[in-house]
């Protein structure tokens, strides 16, 4: 590997000696210095162009013969920014770092303005089956309890289905919840939900960009079958100190960012905490639960060609009930010292080095650490039990982008990650330890590798574009080595300037799994690696799509068909013992699954009216010899029709109105239909044995819901005013219709007999939230850091130690 | 401030469970086989919260029906003792170890028939050596019973039951062992985990009332063992909360339940 890299680096300068000229550099926001990802850069009047990479680097190589006799004008466009045109010298390769001026004056205006050319990328790129969420839209969209949530916005996109109502579970193109790789600055996030999944772990104020890949996976990604969710944190303002925050119904948040060294380095720190526990305490109720999270990122430009980043995320869910915390006057006389609770926490750390070797070669190398802990504890009289489970990753990834010519881009890289799984570490004390011994659990190490390369090349004056990638993945576990080539192919053919068709094929392999019987987080939802006997899951996926840009209206339309077939899927055996079971392999079954469907999306990112309409028609099945009597059954989240309509309308400079209407066929359910009575095994009594439908045979009623939100932005008296606030007046489930999440058997109103009903979780729920942003002179930064510490640093030992 | 409305639940029309006959069998002392013949019922049945109700029992116990047993090419009609109970008492069909038996049943009300076949496995005995230990708790006691099985060659599956209580009517067809017991403990084991023919294990009887115990050992089929194991695992509260529902297997064609023939070995143990 090292020799190959050396050879490539040695040969690269020879390419640069050709007669072509290369324009390269970085793309950033003029005010904040934040790198602008995936922006369109092209030479005016030609089909020659490029897209900035995920760190803002771009490189365009132009054959001399193509610019003879014409002016060389570089056009750069990016949603929410003024399109920039730059006339360049023709004869020399240059480095040109581009700073883009935002068109936005305030929060909303960024989403209602735009200029020609930006939306074409979806037509011209080979990438399909991908969703990029414009972060600026997210804060305006209605949200449960006024709590903005990026995962819930993703759930509104075609091909992505949520779990139960309000939850952050994700089921992509008929896959399971554990088949989504969630990356935060390249580090895996194993648990994406707070409060049993009602909130995602992503603080929207700290997030810069989110891209979800449902298929046509670039070769740099691997490790999960159904989706890759790539989340990038904000780097921080290089020029000015800024802050923003929000006070919501259930939680509050504060984000501070600013320069460490002006134009050289910056930081972002963002914290969030619920106060469910505090709110209920004021009305005398004890709800001993809260969550908090903290994002921190810092970066420093070591030179024009080198930049270092460090980012970290820390979040915890804490439930702690202790009988001793109940006021004495309310306590039962028979105090038993009863207590229980759990803590559930993610930590990610990424140390990244961006290096520009030359005008064609860009490299990113990252050291990554992730830890996911799940602790459950309980006590009763003199008995104590603590059960700990965790997954820890330590890895390195190195990725190279090589812009070989005007028509060819090459990527290559490698990754290696050590996963350490420690499920079910048990510590007991008291009498309970007589029959439940303390144990270290079963520790397992897995070394997962990836070596990949890919080339994107256009032909016939960009009529055709092909992206071929090959990833070699492998995992070493228990003296067994699994290895697999994972081919990826995407082809685009232009039909005309505004439309194209695309096709893709992906092979994905997964070396770990989390088997869950429910969409909410449960203590039993532990991650397990592959073993000698439990083989890696794998999936093949094919997709075909049509993409069209209605240029006058700036509306993108896409239609995709897909078929995915999955093997070595994992399910628990019927009646499996899920708690404290180190021999989990015995409880796992292997099977297969298929999913297929069509997805349609009409999207408008610019103008006074923006938003999208998405429709998904899909099917998903599973086959396990030992489940459902060996018969094929529907996947739990096999929903036939899903429609999302999202609209954001700018009423005036101060007011914005947004609405979301969703329709979804019901999730599937195994319903108890009847019973029969039989003697028990000892013939000492009668057991009532339930009779269920076939597995996931019953489809719950369809659900539909309207959520609305008004945003009022305070008027600025003058441009120098440094504080600005906005009020959010929202309503969830406006017409109060139940979104079924389970089936209940209830007595009939007549009192004779029973009926099946489907209750919903949340009805009409108004919400009020206040968001604000401010900027200040640098010398006052310490005051804000102090406020930050007071708000978020006093509740947790970790925060206290980190901030000190 | 949190203000919200609870949405009205949506009623649904689910296809009701198709009623099917249910069969269970038991050999009582005297090598008499009892058959329990009933019907499944919908979860929407108006009596489902009160299944001890006589009106409900009348609905599910088969009164208008017939049952027969076939062995070695001969078929005999079973004798109906009462609503839902049939017996081989008085028939000439012998119970011969390792032979196969088939039953047929018909529920005239449902107009449905069932059939099932099983093998009578040989009786395996327990050693007369039992040791017991009383573990005193705060308000009750647990009786630990150590027993020994005289295992036989081949793979075998066993059901062990321990009963404490008043056994004055023991052996009475109208009042079987189980009906007289106040406390019962059951355990299933397989000899595959042992490399000896002297299998020894412990059984725990919680809150035992009497110093006289009856302990039975049944040599059961692998299928019945798997059924009992699944019932045991699926019945735990944790499993019911965290696992997918289980449709339990049955060896009855056209219905539910289990046709199983075992002649248990039983011992009377007096707790010292």
């Amino acid at each position: 590997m090292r020799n190959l890299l050396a050879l490539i680096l040695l040969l690269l300068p020879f390419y640069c000696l050709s007669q072509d000229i290369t324009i390269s550099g970085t793309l950033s926001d003029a005010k904040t210095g934040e790198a602008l990802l995936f922006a369109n850069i092209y030479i005016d009047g030609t089909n020659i162009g490029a897209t900035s990479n995920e760190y803002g680097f771009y490189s365009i190589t132009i054959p001399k013969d193509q610019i003879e006799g014409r002016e060389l004008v570089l056009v750069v466009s990016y949603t929410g920014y003024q399109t920039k045109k730059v006339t360049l010298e023709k004869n020399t390769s240059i480095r040109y770092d581009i700073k883009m001026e935002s068109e936005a004056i305030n929060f909303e205006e960024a989403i209602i303005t735009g200029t020609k050319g930006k939306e074409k990328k979806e037509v011209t790129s080979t990438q399909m089956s991908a969703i990029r969420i414009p972060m600026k839209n997210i804060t305006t969209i209605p949200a449960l309890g006024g709590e903005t949530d990026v995962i819930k916005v993703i759930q509104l996109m075609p091909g992505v289905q949520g779990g139960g109502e309000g939850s952050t579970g994700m089921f992509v193109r008929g896959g399971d919840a554990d088949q989504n790789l969630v990356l935060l600055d390249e580090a895996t996030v194993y648990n994406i939900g707070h409060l049993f999944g009602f909130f995602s772990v992503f603080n929207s104020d700290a997030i810069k960009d989110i891209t979800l890949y449902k298929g046509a996976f670039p070769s740099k990604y691997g490790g999960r079958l159904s989706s890759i969710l790539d989340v990038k944190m904000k780097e921080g303002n290089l020029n000015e100190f800024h802050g923003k925050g929000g006070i919501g119904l259930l939680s509050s948040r504060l984000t501070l960012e600013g320069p460490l060294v002006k134009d050289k380095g910056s930081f972002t720190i963002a914290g969030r905490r619920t106060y469910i526990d505090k709110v209920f305490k004021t009305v005398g109720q004890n709800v001993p639960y809260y969550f908090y999270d903290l994002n921190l990122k810092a970066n420093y430009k070591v030179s024009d060609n080198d930049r270092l980043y460090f980012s970290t995320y820390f979040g915890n869910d804490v439930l702690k009930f202790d009988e001793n915390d109940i006021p004495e006057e309310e306590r039962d006389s028979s105090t038993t010292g009863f207590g229980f609770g759990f803590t559930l926490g993610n930590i990610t750390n990424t140390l990244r080095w961006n290096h520009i070797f030359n005008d064609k070669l860009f490299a990113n190398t990252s050291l990554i650490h992730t830890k996911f802990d799940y602790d459950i504890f309980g006590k009763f009289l003199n008995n104590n039990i603590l059960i700990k489970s965790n997954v820890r990753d330590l890895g390195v990834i190195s990725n190279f982008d090589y812009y070989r010519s005007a028509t060819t881009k090459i990527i290559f890289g490698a990754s290696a990650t050590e996963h350490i799984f420690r499920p079910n570490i048990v510590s007991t004390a008291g009498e309970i330890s007589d029959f439940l011994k303390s144990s270290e659990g079963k520790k397992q190490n897995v070394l997962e590798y990836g070596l990949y390369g890919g080339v994107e090349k256009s032909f016939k004056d960009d009529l055709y574009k092909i992206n071929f990638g090959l990833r070699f993945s492998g995992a070493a576990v228990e003296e067994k080595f699994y290895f697999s080539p994972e081919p990826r192919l995407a082809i685009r053919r232009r039909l005309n300037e505004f439309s194209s068709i695309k096709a893709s094929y992906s092979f994905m392999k997964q070396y770990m799994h989390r088997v869950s019987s429910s969409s909410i987080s449960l203590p039993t939802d532990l991650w397990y690696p592959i073993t000698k006997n439990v083989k890696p899951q794998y999936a093949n996926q094919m997709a075909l799509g049509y993409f069209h840009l209605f240029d006058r209206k700036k509306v993108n339309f896409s239609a995709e068909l897909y078929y995915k077939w999955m093997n070595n899927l994992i399910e628990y055996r019927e009646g499996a013992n899920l708690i404290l079971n180190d021999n989990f392999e015995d409880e796992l079954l292997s099977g297969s699954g298929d999913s297929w469907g069509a997805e349609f999306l009409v999207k408008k990112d610019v103008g006074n009216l923006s938003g999208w309409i998405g429709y998904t028609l899909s099917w998903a099945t599973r086959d396990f010899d030992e489940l459902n009597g060996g018969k094929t059954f529907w996947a739990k989240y096999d929903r036939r029709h899903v429609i999302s309509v999202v609209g954001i309308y700018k009423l005036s400079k101060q007011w914005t109105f947004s609405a979301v209407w969703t329709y979804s066929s019901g999730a599937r359910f195994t319903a108890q239909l009847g019973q029969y009575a039989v003697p028990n095994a000892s013939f000492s009594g009668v057991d009532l044995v339930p009779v269920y439908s076939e597995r996931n045979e019953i489809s719950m009623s369809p659900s539909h819901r309207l959520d609305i939100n008004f945003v009022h932005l305070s008027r600025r008296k003058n441009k120098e005013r440094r504080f600005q606030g906005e009020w959010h007046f929202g309503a969830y489930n406006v017409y109060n219709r139940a979104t079924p999440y389970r089936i209940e058997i209830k007595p009939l109103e007549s009192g004779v007999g029973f009926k099946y009903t489907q209750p919903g979780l949340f009805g009409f729920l108004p919400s009020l939230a206040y968001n604000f942003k401010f900027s200040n002179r640098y010398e006052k930064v310490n005051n804000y850091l102090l406020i930050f510490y007071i708000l978020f640093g006093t509740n947790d030992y970790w925060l206290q130690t980190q901030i000190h | 401030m949190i203000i919200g409305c609870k949405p009205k639940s949506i009623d649904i029309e689910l296809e009701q469970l198709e009623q099917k006959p249910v069969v269970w069998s038991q050999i009582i002392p005297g090598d008499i086989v009892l058959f329990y013949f009933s019907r499944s019922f919908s979860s929407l049945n108006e009596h489902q919260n009160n299944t001890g109700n006589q009106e409900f029992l009348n609905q599910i116990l088969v009164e208008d029906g017939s049952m027969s047993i076939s062995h070695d090419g001969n078929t005999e009609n079973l004798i109906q003792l009462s609503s839902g109970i049939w017996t081989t008492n008085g028939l000439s069909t012998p119970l011969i170890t390792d032979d196969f038996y088939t039953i047929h049943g018909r529920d005239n009300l449902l107009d449905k028939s069932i059939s099932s076949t099983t093998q009578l496995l040989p009786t395996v005995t327990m050693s007369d050596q039992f040791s017991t230990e009383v573990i005193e708790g705060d308000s009750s006691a647990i009786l630990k019973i150590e027993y020994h099985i005289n295992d036989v060659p081949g793979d075998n599956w066993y059901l062990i039951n321990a009963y404490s209580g008043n056994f004055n009517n023991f052996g009475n067809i109208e009042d079987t062992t189980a009906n007289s017991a106040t406390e019962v403990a059951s355990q299933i084991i397989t000899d595959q985990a042992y490399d000896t023919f002297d299998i020894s294990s412990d059984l725990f009887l919680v809150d035992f009332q009497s110093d006289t115990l009856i302990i039975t050992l049944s040599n059961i089929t692998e299928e019945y063992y798997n059924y009992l194991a699944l019932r045991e695992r699926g019945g735990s509260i944790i499993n019911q909360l965290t696992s997918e529902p289980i449709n339990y297997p049955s060896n009855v064609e056209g219905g539910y339940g289990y046709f199983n023939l075992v002649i248990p070995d039983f011992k009377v143990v007096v707790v010292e």
Side-chain angles (χ1 to χ4, degrees), chain A residues 517 576 673 675 682-683 692 758 763, chain B residues 10 12 43 163 178 239 242 247:
Chain A
S517 60
L673 301 176
Q675 294 171 90
S682 58
F683 289 94
Y692 295 96
Q758 298 172 102
Chain B
I10 300 168
I12 49 167
S43 290
Y163 306 86
N239 254 313
T242 60
N247 267 323

Side-chain angles (χ1 to χ4, degrees), chain A residues 249 517 575-576 587 673-675 682-683 687 692-693 695 698 701 753-759 763-766, chain B residues 1 3-5 9-12 14 26 40-41 43 45-46 48 161 163 178 184 231 233 239 242 244 246-247:
Chain A
L249 203 61
S517 60
E587 306 288 17
L673 301 176
Q675 294 171 90
S682 58
F683 289 94
D687 282 348
Y692 295 96
S693 64
R695 194 176 176 105
I698 308 298
S701 295
F754 295 82
K755 64 179 179 181
Y756 295 106
T757 67
Q758 298 172 102
F764 171 70
L765 184 68
Chain B
M1 190 166 59
I3 308 167
C5 303
S9 293
I10 300 168
D11 290 351
I12 49 167
L14 276 186
Q26 178 189 14
S40 62
F41 55 96
S43 290
N45 187 294
E46 68 258 39
Q48 78 132 339
N161 288 314
Y163 306 86
V184 180
R231 291 278 298 140
R233 284 150 50 120
N239 254 313
T242 60
E244 287 290 328
I246 301 166
N247 267 323

Side-chain angles (χ1 to χ4, degrees), chain B residues 212-228:
Chain B
T212 306
L213 307 172
I214 290 179
I215 298 177
T216 66
L217 171 69
S218 303
N219 180 15
I220 58 177
T221 60
E222 182 182 4
E223 291 73 26
Y224 188 52
Y225 173 90
N226 289 336
Y227 167 83
L228 292 175

Side-chain angles (χ1 to χ4, degrees), chain A residues 283-298:
Chain A
V283 291
Q285 298 288 316
N286 185 25
V287 178
Y289 169 83
Y290 63 93
F291 74 76
Y292 57 82
D293 50 38
L294 178 83
N295 294 76
L296 175 68
K297 188 163 181 176

Side-chain angles (χ1 to χ4, degrees), chain A residues 151-183:
Chain A
I151 299 289
K152 293 209 180 77
V153 176
I154 287 171
Q155 289 173 351
L156 295 171
M157 291 295 186
V160 185
Q161 304 192 6
E165 186 183 18
S167 85
T168 55
M170 274 205 322
F171 300 85
V172 180
R173 287 190 169 175
D176 293 326
D178 70 333
Q179 293 173 357
N180 309 307
L181 178 62
V182 180
L183 300 171

